[in-house]
Amino acid sequence: MDEKDIVLVNELIENSRAPLTHLAKKLGMTDVAIKKRLKKLEKEGVIRKYTIEVDPTKLGFKHVALIGIDTEPEKILDVSTQLASKEYAYKVYLTTGDHMLMLEAWAKDNKHLTQIIEDIGKIPGVKRVCPAIILEKLK
Amino acid sequence: MDEKDIVLVNELIENSRAPLTHLAKKLGMTDVAIKKRLKKLEKEGVIRKYTIEVDPTKLGFKHVALIGIDTEPEKILDVSTQLASKEYAYKVYLTTGDHMLMLEAWAKDNKHLTQIIEDIGKIPGVKRVCPAIILEKLK
DNA sequence: ATTGAAACACGACACAT
DNA sequence: ATGTGTCGTGTTTCAAT
């Protein structure tokens, strides 16, 4: 990881479909050198995956919610693996703080969100479900 | 937005550098047709950007924190725009729930995180800062 | 650095709604 | 008329020598 790698990563964060030759120009090297750096960054796990950022509302999801979940301490891993397998789970985090588990969920509408919250509540070991709807994404 | 678009978006979420021809095979059409769909999805804002998912720890950030922030109600927009301009702010959300503002912050180390929390506390209108460190990302 | 193969961009045209 | 598809051509990009 040197300065060039940082620039490269930042370029890819902005546009992961940029051709190697474009990246090469920006960094002042050849496409082959860029390719090698990418391979290295992928292998090291710096780049987890090439992906897209989508607008959930445009995909028919009216609500995006951050849901804090409290569990019985010994059940936290069970609960988290179960959550991660749910189709409504977009992201699952183990955290310190108020809640030990945080979930980002995408819901089609109010009814769906209610279902999700109920579904989480039914997972054995879950003590409390604290949903917060994301009203706006500012960054 | 039809079934094909959904498949296409899901493929790109998994690998945004997939060549058009690969995507074309999966969807049973030509690369040109795929390209046209991509253009449409980009124009409609379904695809916000082609990006990469990086591992913050590999970039030298030891901590990723989800920070809930309480503000005086009339200051919430001021605070949120200020937060969005901070270099440590990776994501900023306006939410319902416990805290009206949620921030995802990347910190180089403990000291940096402390600084960030103090910095947030100093923004006029901020009443309470509730940090939660993300221990593990499960999905 | 060269080069052959693969992937991509663009235009013109066709078909359906 | 608009949206969506195929085909043909020339160019760019890739990956392996």
Side-chain angles (χ1 to χ4, degrees), chain B residues 3-124:
Chain B
E3 191 52 45
K4 301 258 184 186
D5 282 331
I6 309 268
V7 176
L8 186 51
V9 165
N10 284 328
E11 286 293 331
L12 288 170
I13 287 175
E14 288 312 312
N15 179 18
S16 62
R17 272 187 92 80
L20 297 185
T21 44
H22 288 190
L23 299 167
K25 265 180 205 153
K26 291 231 179 185
L27 295 240
M29 353 174 184
T30 67
D31 51 351
V32 183
I34 297 289
K35 179 70 189 169
K36 284 183 184 175
R37 278 177 184 264
L38 285 190
K39 280 244 173 74
K40 193 198 63 184
L41 291 170
E42 290 161 18
K43 206 181 88 199
E44 288 172 348
V46 178
I47 295 175
R48 282 227 194 85
K49 66 155 117 172
Y50 300 87
T51 185
I52 53 174
E53 206 180 289
V54 301
D55 183 341
T57 65
K58 299 273 169 63
L59 284 174
F61 294 95
K62 282 217 180 65
H63 302 303
V64 175
L66 275 177
I67 306 177
I69 296 159
D70 294 345
T71 70
E72 287 157 23
E74 69 276 16
K75 290 285 180 62
I76 189 159
L77 284 175
D78 291 344
V79 174
S80 53
T81 49
Q82 282 202 54
L83 278 175
S85 73
K86 301 286 186 183
E87 95 286 350
Y88 54 73
Y90 182 67
K91 296 279 179 194
V92 182
Y93 305 114
L94 262 178
T95 72
T96 67
D98 277 9
H99 313 291
M100 284 168 298
L101 269 172
M102 293 287 297
L103 169 73
E104 182 176 334
W106 291 11
K108 292 192 193 306
D109 49 37
N110 291 30
K111 201 180 120 201
H112 188 203
L113 182 57
T114 312
Q115 278 174 8
I116 289 169
I117 292 165
E118 282 173 6
D119 187 64
I120 296 169
K122 279 185 198 140
I123 297 172

Side-chain angles (χ1 to χ4, degrees), chain A residues 1 9 12-18 20 44-55 58-59 66 80 84 86 89-98 102 132-139, chain B residues 1 9 12-18 20 44-55 58-59 66 80 84 86 89 91-98 102 131-139:
Chain A
M1 281 298 298
V9 165
L12 288 170
I13 286 175
E14 287 312 312
N15 178 19
S16 62
R17 273 188 90 81
L20 297 186
E44 287 172 349
V46 178
I47 296 174
R48 283 229 196 83
K49 68 158 132 173
Y50 300 87
T51 185
I52 53 173
E53 206 179 287
V54 302
D55 183 343
K58 299 273 167 60
L59 284 174
L66 274 178
S80 53
K86 300 286 187 183
Y90 182 67
K91 296 280 177 191
V92 182
Y93 305 113
L94 263 177
T95 71
T96 68
D98 278 10
M102 292 288 298
I133 294 169
I134 294 179
L135 301 172
E136 203 171 344
K137 210 172 174 175
L138 296 158
K139 189 176 181 178
Chain B
M1 283 299 297
V9 165
L12 288 170
I13 287 175
E14 288 312 312
N15 179 18
S16 62
R17 272 187 92 80
L20 297 185
E44 288 172 348
V46 178
I47 295 175
R48 282 227 194 85
K49 66 155 117 172
Y50 300 87
T51 185
I52 53 174
E53 206 180 289
V54 301
D55 183 341
K58 299 273 169 63
L59 284 174
L66 275 177
S80 53
K86 301 286 186 183
K91 296 279 179 194
V92 182
Y93 305 114
L94 262 178
T95 72
T96 67
D98 277 9
M102 293 287 297
I133 294 169
I134 296 178
L135 300 172
E136 204 171 343
K137 211 171 174 174
L138 296 158
K139 189 176 182 178

Side-chain angles (χ1 to χ4, degrees), chain A residues 118-136:
Chain A
E118 281 172 4
D119 186 64
I120 296 169
K122 278 183 200 140
I123 297 173
V126 168
K127 287 199 298 194
R128 213 155 77 93
V129 181
C130 306
I133 294 169
I134 294 179
L135 301 172
E136 203 171 344

